[in-house]
Amino acid sequence: MNYSGPEFLIKRLPGYAEDVRKSLHDLFITTDSELTIKQIYSVCLALCYYLKNEHMLNDIRAEAKFYLEEAEADAAKTAVISTAIRCTYSDFFMAIEEDPDMMMEDL
């Protein structure tokens, strides 16, 4: 199955990603987006990395290689990793603020 634009990606999103589906639909379909083709493929690639959906990721990677340099594709992956790290640290520090003794319990 070949990737053929944001509409294809939106239709293939799993049910648990309904919020992502709506956001992408708003970004790509309902608004007059002025994103370049590189930006569109970068967003789609980052989304597939975020969702960890191998089938979608393989489809988008195969198509994105025609539009993105390797460094640009790596940047999409790095953005997802960076965001995940920030979220993890944020959750951790919020938990410590709620219960400062939490760290001592695990030692």
Side-chain angles (χ1 to χ4, degrees):
M1 184 178 292
N2 292 333
Y3 179 78
S4 59
E7 298 88 358
F8 174 79
L9 182 63
I10 292 169
K11 288 177 184 175
R12 289 199 57 205
L13 287 172
Y16 63 82
E18 184 61 36
D19 57 332
V20 175
R21 179 181 289 115
K22 182 183 180 329
S23 295
L24 282 181
H25 186 269
D26 290 347
L27 177 64
F28 294 136
I29 311 294
T30 59
T31 62
D32 290 330
S33 177
E34 295 184 13
L35 296 175
T36 66
I37 193 74
K38 285 185 175 209
Q39 290 169 323
I40 290 170
Y41 276 97
S42 294
V43 167
C44 293
L45 190 58
L47 172 67
C48 290
Y49 280 118
Y50 172 75
L51 293 175
K52 299 177 185 170
N53 186 310
E54 282 297 316
H55 296 293
M56 290 173 55
L57 185 56
N58 289 337
D59 288 344
I60 189 68
R61 270 194 299 224
E63 190 76 16
K65 70 181 176 183
F66 295 110
Y67 302 99
L68 301 176
E69 299 293 328
E70 186 174 345
E72 293 166 327
D74 288 345
K77 188 174 188 178
T78 301
V80 172
I81 293 167
S82 175
T83 300
I85 290 169
R86 280 194 306 271
C87 288
T88 301
Y89 281 126
S90 177
D91 291 346
F92 176 73
F93 287 115
M94 284 176 46
I96 289 174
E97 285 179 3
E98 290 176 14
D99 183 9
D101 296 327
M102 176 185 77
M103 287 186 60
M104 296 307 290
E105 294 170 2
D106 291 337
L107 295 178

